[in-house]
């Protein structure tokens, strides 16, 4: 059994790690930290976990966590992880960081997050479909929720240098904004609404640029996020303008080849929707082509808390510990 | 492995049986029938099951199903099951019927459903917390969704003869009305609404009367159902008027004793809500007492498609085949 | 034109007063106070009012408000209104108080709200269908949202002394909890949920007892509130146990007689739902009888912010100023 | 008073015409037709109109309607209006057609709708902000819901020839799909979901091309619609790629000038959302610029049934009859 620590377990990604790891066949959660909830039962915060664990939140030092564990998930805000991750690595424990601190080149990170990086480390961007080298890594930077679905929608064509320009228009469930009540998450504001925000300036744009830019440095990327009245899920509509006339069969073949043997990518002949991935680690992808304008619209659907966060983190853990990539993750979505 | 057939697999309860059985450690789904969808891949109807099964819907005779299976779930409308169940039993297969056909005494059934019963059979009412004899049964009548949560909220006190009168006011998610679009399920009608219906005449009232009446024949029962803008879940508010002054500790003890060693009943000190049971087989129960009026308000929360239908059916299967009662069902709810 | 002041205009009831009064043919809003939002344009807080008023929130003394106005609406928390209302009355202005401070007999108020009343005044309970004497009043205590719909559902039979016992099971939209984000109003908590609360102890129970008790002192009342995933609306399911056998025609006649010439009460032959009253001042009422048990289930539907708060306050204003009772209020609901 | 007929009154746009016209100061609805609901009270279908009209649906000939009216609204499916409109015009009545039949040049219509046009007529495209000539017209083709919000978001810059390319990504409430239950509108399918559809082929694209093409024939347009879990509203995110470097002040000035004295356009400094326009005839517009890439993201919000359909039709009526453009329409949105 892999001994697991979770630093910062009181938010949605912490809760989701537990939901999945408590029934993972090779995982044993050893400790879960929270400064604010020290001493409280986990199920006070995560009511769905009642009966699954007797653990309480602890307020202990990262070094203490590391000593007891084989791997530690850090589910803390950006800017905080860089204080914790190096101390974990010092103890030779493997680390999967769900914050933004290790996802970008240091100079890009510092500019985008307007923050000096205190402790740069070599990390692998934990999108396993593009980065099988997570298997050999000790520090994985787990991707942002929006970039996961957006990159996966465009990567096959980007890898072929086929994309002139892409506009990602993403729609996220409210859980992406976290467990703390805010004006945006206030039911009367969000119900019956759709809220566009950071129309041209969302930080996840930098991840898109970084990752897709590695596949094709000339690609032009735009990204606009929205919050929709759904708890979970991100649907990304990728408006792709391509360089050559390609028919639907050619495009299908490019996607099929790129995602061959990727267990969590499902290519559909229709258009994905959130219900089919809710609660699961799948990324569903479908597309239509407008032949007359070299325009392709690709739609991807993920659960932002699973493939967009905690599920993907566990997928990375599986690879880092040479388990089956799908261990503990091959469960159907909750539909309807 | 238990070989399983599902007759009538295109609705929500059929889909939910598959969602749970496809990852059940001792289950092997052999065939799934649907007259209308004969030959279609399962995942056309149940998109969340894509990648989990290559089965197609078949339109075959119950006898053919029975020959290949150890147990058959019938997920067909009431009035139809009575045509199928006897033929399955003839083949010595065990049957778990999710329809209403075998839940009530024949005379009550005929009156409530206004339908002559063609083939009465001895069946056990499949609420395992009250009827452990399902373990020895060959035909289990799986309870209705409303009765499951309502009976469980009141049974401990009813078993003590403590209840003078009870008003069950139940709130159900829309999936309880099935997979076929109707005026009630039309999004613009249901969103931002709550629809009371069959204020005094819902057929599930007869199940409540039948089961609670076995515990205490003098109990007076009222039942009014509502549909709320949620996909899954039933919250039942049971307004109980009790015969003696009981304090909260006495009541707590009665519930704890009654539900001792019942793995799917969780007694809370607070008030249950649907999020903590969504997608799971739990029934959460909490209560408050108004000492001045011998009034107790008990709230129970279940997922109508799991504990209220398919999950409970599998719980029954586990018992009928001497498996661990929780096999394949001990997964946390999907929260948030 | 009636000159109007609103004290405490930043919440939902304040916004709703403005939404309705800005297009009321005889109303002229003179000033709107808010301590926290002093100097801010109204439309920053109430975005739907952009273009309808150039007023800004002011932080001025109640006396200053009273000097400029014919009537003042106080939309402040309970416990605060009692500091303001007497000072307004000193200036001979009429007052419509939307708080709880003047709804109950002083002794009941002090017990229920656990608060000494600083300034008791003679007030009329502003449910015009029961209290036409609001027309001659200078201080109206506008009813709570739950009591409005609950009292209206039962009053006709209570006035006949017909009710043995009633269980009010009410379902409210989230806006009833106010404009400030909380854990309950957090979208991921409230979506797909229904939250029972204060199962036996909600303060509005005292209003029910006070008002229905005036019609029939022997009536036994239970009240349990719930929050449902809707922004607006309260559906109350009143489970009535009556003293005599009455048939549906007799009951219909009692309701029709009681609500004759009440423009905002609509008696339906079917079951009310929230969509038909959303944004309007109507209270829709329907019922079914279970002859066998002397049980009647009455359902009432209101918009909690209109008939349950600000619309009713304006209805009271109309009567106090001898306008048509329906002035500014006779608009259809927003359906769908 | 203007005497009004509505042909096809049983759908949402018919209901919305009535909701608005029944309280319009200069409108008098004379008759409402429906073939299927002949003889039924309006309020059976439109429960919010109970008490506002005693009219019943009639199944009468367009000629009979025309004889009694000054203006007729045709709220019938495309392909049907072309049978009715010419007969109405023969009677010298003014016509506002809410179908697609008269919105496009005949050749474009026939290609896009794959239908031979039986009766082409000269019509004005009823977007009054761009086409003041509706005032002098006898036949107005009321715009589609998506085109209304999309055109208004881009027209100011298009009119300056500034747009190289635009991607319209639109999110519509479910009421846009009509009052008939379908798989898409089925609550369990739509709740917690967002459904992209007709990714490159939606017919409203032709309206966008036709109208924006009149402002700038070289503009390149992409359009993808989505359905979101909201009853009403369309939020359009217009991703604009512009030809020159413009700063935010220059763009603001272009929009302000273009929409000067347009009472239903509200330019915001922030980002629009659906709550602020729900139930109202406003189109709210806001934008942000990404200077580095000559990219501008404009967001427009409308109520699809009001500014996107029936409200705009009444705005057109007001202009055609020389009334105040805002008559009967200047009411705030229903927020929250």
């Amino acid at each position: 059994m892999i001994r697991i620590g979770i630093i910062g377990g009181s938010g949605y990604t912490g809760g989701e790690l537990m939901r999945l790891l408590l029934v993972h066949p090779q995982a044993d959660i050893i400790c879960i930290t929270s400064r604010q909830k020290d001493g409280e039962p986990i199920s006070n915060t995560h009511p769905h976990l009642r009966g699954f664990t007797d653990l309480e939140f602890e307020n202990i030092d990262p070094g203490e966590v590391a000593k007891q564990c084989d791997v530690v998930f850090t589910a803390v805000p950006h800017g905080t992880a860089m204080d914790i991750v190096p101390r974990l690595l010092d103890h030779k424990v493997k680390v999967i960081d769900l914050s933004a601190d290790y996802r970008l080149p240091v100079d890009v990170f510092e500019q985008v997050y307007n923050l000096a990086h205190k402790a740069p480390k070599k990390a692998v961007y934990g999108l396993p479909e593009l980065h099988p080298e997570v298997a050999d890594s000790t520090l994985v930077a787990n991707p942002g929720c929006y970039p996961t679905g957006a990159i996966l929608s465009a990567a096959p064509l980007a890898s072929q240098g086929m994309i002139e320009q892409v506009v990602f228009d993403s729609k996220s469930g409210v859980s992406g904004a976290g467990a703390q009540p805010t004006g945006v998450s206030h039911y009367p504001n969000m119900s019956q609404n759709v809220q566009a925000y950071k129309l041209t300036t969302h930080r996840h744009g930098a991840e898109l640029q970084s990752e897709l830019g590695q596949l094709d440095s000339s690609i032009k990327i735009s990204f606009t996020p929205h919050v929709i009245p759904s708890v979970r899920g991100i649907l990304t509509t990728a408006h792709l303008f391509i360089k050559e006339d390609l028919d639907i069969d050619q495009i299908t073949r490019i996607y099929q080849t790129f995602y061959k043997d990727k267990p969590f990518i499902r290519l559909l002949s229709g258009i994905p929707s959130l219900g089919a991935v809710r609660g699961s680690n799948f990324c569903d992808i479908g597309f239509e082509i407008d032949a007359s304008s070299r325009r392709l619209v690709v739609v991807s659907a993920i659960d932002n808390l699973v493939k967009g966060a905690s599920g993907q983190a566990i997928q990375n853990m599986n690879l880092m510990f040479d388990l089956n990539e799908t261990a503990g993750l091959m469960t159907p979505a909750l539909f309807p």
Side-chain angles (χ1 to χ4, degrees), chain A:
Chain A
M1 299 293 273
I2 301 169
R3 295 169 306 155
I4 293 170
I6 298 172
I7 294 184
S10 66
Y12 285 150
T13 51
E16 197 71 355
L17 283 169
M18 285 182 257
R19 180 179 75 85
L20 296 165
L21 290 170
L22 284 166
V23 294
H24 187 293
Q26 282 129 318
D28 188 10
I29 302 181
I30 301 296
C31 71
I32 303 155
T33 79
S34 167
R35 263 182 295 190
Q36 292 186 315
K37 311 215 167 183
D38 186 23
E40 291 184 23
I42 299 297
S43 62
N44 280 18
T45 299
H46 303 297
H48 56 312
L49 303 182
R50 181 184 303 272
F52 286 88
T53 178
D54 295 328
L55 286 172
E56 294 177 352
F57 290 116
E58 298 178 78
N59 182 10
I60 56 171
D61 192 78
E64 290 303 304
V65 176
K67 279 182 201 162
Q68 313 170 58
C69 297
D70 301 309
V71 61
V72 177
F73 294 88
T74 46
V76 296
H78 72 262
T80 301
M82 63 177 78
D83 287 330
I84 295 170
V85 166
R87 296 163 64 194
L88 295 169
L89 293 174
D90 287 348
H91 284 81
K92 307 295 179 201
V93 75
K94 296 188 185 191
V95 177
I96 300 167
D97 177 29
L98 283 82
S99 87
D101 287 6
Y102 293 92
R103 292 178 194 156
L104 295 170
V106 174
D107 56 337
V108 177
F109 175 84
E110 296 194 328
Q111 187 194 342
V112 170
Y113 286 84
N114 194 25
L115 196 67
H117 204 302
K118 298 182 200 166
K121 296 279 171 185
K122 189 169 163 2
V124 175
Y125 190 76
L127 192 59
E129 287 78 11
L130 270 72
H131 294 285
E133 68 269 27
V134 294
D136 307 314
S137 164
T138 52
L139 172 58
V140 165
N142 211 59
C145 52
Y146 285 121
T148 294
I151 293 168
L152 291 172
S153 73
L157 284 169
S159 73
Q160 302 286 312
M162 293 286 194
I163 302 175
E164 177 74 37
Q165 176 172 21
V166 52
V167 174
F168 293 111
D169 188 295
S170 293
K171 296 91 179 165
S172 173
V174 189
S175 61
Q180 289 306 313
T182 65
V184 168
S185 77
H186 188 51
Y187 191 90
N189 292 341
M190 195 62 238
S191 177
Q192 307 287 310
N193 202 358
V194 48
Q195 188 61 57
Y197 68 109
K198 294 186 192 293
L199 303 181
T200 60
T201 60
H202 195 285
R203 286 157 167 175
H204 283 175
E207 281 181 54
L208 294 171
Q209 191 64 57
S210 170
E211 285 297 308
L212 292 174
Q214 287 175 38
L215 298 176
D216 176 0
S217 61
S218 71
I219 193 171
K220 282 185 285 182
I221 297 172
S222 302
F223 168 58
T224 301
H226 304 71
V227 187
I228 56 166
S230 174
V231 176
R232 288 166 176 258
I234 294 178
L235 194 96
T236 291
T237 311
H239 305 268
L240 296 169
F241 298 91
I242 54 181
K243 292 177 181 167
E244 297 174 33
D245 288 330
L246 293 175
D247 65 25
I248 198 75
D249 291 338
Q250 291 170 305
I251 292 167
T252 301
R253 226 168 300 128
I254 290 169
Y255 275 78
Q256 285 174 339
T257 304
F258 194 85
Y259 289 129
K260 189 161 178 292
D261 298 329
K262 304 298 179 195
F264 293 114
I265 307 293
R266 298 191 295 199
L267 299 175
L268 313 188
S269 54
I271 301 173
S273 67
L274 298 183
V277 300
R278 188 184 303 131
S280 83
N281 200 50
F282 293 99
C283 177
D284 283 0
I285 297 175
F287 41 78
E288 284 181 20
I289 191 156
D290 178 3
S292 63
S293 66
R294 289 188 180 168
R295 181 168 73 105
L296 178 72
V297 179
V298 185
V299 175
S300 71
I302 61 168
D303 184 314
N304 59 310
L305 296 180
V306 189
K307 184 61 178 168
S310 304
Q312 183 148 269
I314 294 168
Q315 185 182 355
N316 283 319
M317 179 194 82
N318 289 342
L319 292 167
M320 292 163 85
F321 286 86
D322 207 21
L323 308 179
N324 190 324
E325 184 172 357
T326 65
L329 294 171
M330 197 42 83
T331 46
L334 191 69
F335 173 88

